[in-house]
Amino acid sequence: MSSPLRYRHPWELLWGNINKDNVCVVGDALHPITPYIGQGGYATLEDGVVLARCLVGALLKEQSEETKGQGDREREEYKRIEMGLKIYAKERRWRSIELISTTYFVGFVQQGNGQVTTFLRDNILPAFLAGLLLKRADFDCGKLSIS
Ligand SMILES: Cc1cc2nc3c(=O)[nH]c(=O)nc-3n(C[C@H](O)[C@H](O)[C@H](O)COP(=O)(O)OP(=O)(O)OC[C@H]3O[C@@H](n4cnc5c(N)ncnc54)[C@H](O)[C@@H]3O)c2cc1C
């Protein structure tokens, strides 16, 4: 049975799961971005960079001394992936909240047709909104190094 599509409100990310066991969400599944800021694609690339870095960091640590058999190794690997995903989730949570709060706010202002919203949108907010969009795009997710 398929689940219905559901919009994720920004505040749900404050306590919502990003990872569980050895699974995590990335891209639109993590930060569904309405068309108003056009940044969903590159935010997804940021997720990919951070996720790769976290997984590599967790998996490349030296195996513990007690890890001997195949079963032990697999269990340790599972734990490491889980740990890498926790770090990924921590790193991406606030960035995702920022992005979807911005798109939520911009959408609210763009779509509003009350007198106050219309006045603010047409006279006061354009410069602020443009600045906000540029600010959200100016983000450094760090590098991936190949060694
Ligand atoms: C009209 C439009 C304009 C946009 N413009 C911009 C822009 O200018 N700049 C920008 O940065 N972003 C833009 N975006 C947003 C951007 O396209 C998305 O944020 C980005 O593609 C999300 O990547 P994703 O990998 O999370 O999801 P997707 O790109 O949607 O990839 C999900 C993939 O999973 C597949 N899939 C789904 N269900 C299953 C399943 N059950 N089994 C196997 N595969 C499955 C789908 O077929 C799809 O290939 C735009 C989006 C739209 C719709």
Side-chain angles (χ1 to χ4, degrees):
M1 199 173 77
S2 62
S3 311
L5 283 175
R6 200 173 63 84
Y7 180 72
R8 197 173 202 183
H9 292 102
W11 50 87
E12 285 177 31
L13 257 189
L14 286 171
W15 59 80
N17 279 341
I18 293 177
N19 64 300
K20 191 171 180 204
D21 301 329
N22 64 346
V23 176
C24 70
V25 282
V26 298
D28 282 0
L30 168 60
H31 35 67
I33 299 180
T34 54
Y36 303 104
I37 64 171
Q39 296 181 18
Y42 85 66
T44 302
L45 293 175
E46 290 171 18
D47 292 339
V49 170
V50 175
L51 179 59
R53 201 170 48 229
C54 293
L55 284 178
V56 167
L59 288 170
L60 285 189
K61 279 197 183 124
E62 271 185 37
Q63 294 266 339
S64 64
E65 290 292 313
E66 305 92 65
T67 306
K68 291 192 179 90
Q70 174 78 7
D72 283 342
R73 269 203 298 278
E74 279 173 9
R75 265 191 297 281
E76 182 162 338
E77 196 172 277
Y78 185 96
K79 285 277 157 215
R80 283 161 180 248
I81 291 172
E82 204 177 9
M83 186 50 63
L85 297 187
K86 271 188 193 154
I87 298 168
Y88 158 79
K90 198 169 168 206
E91 208 174 308
R92 295 304 288 162
R93 188 177 297 275
W94 282 107
R95 169 71 173 151
S96 302
I97 290 171
E98 253 182 10
L99 282 167
I100 59 175
S101 303
T102 303
T103 191
Y104 195 84
F105 173 68
V106 174
F108 178 78
V109 171
Q110 302 273 27
Q111 284 191 334
N113 52 13
Q115 276 185 338
V116 177
T117 320
T118 307
F119 175 80
L120 290 174
R121 181 181 61 226
D122 296 347
N123 298 286
I124 298 175
L125 287 173
F128 171 73
L129 291 182
L132 192 62
L133 300 197
L134 286 175
K135 202 170 164 201
R136 288 294 166 266
D138 186 15
F139 181 82
D140 182 0
C141 64
K143 290 190 173 138
L144 276 181
S145 59
I146 303 167
S147 52

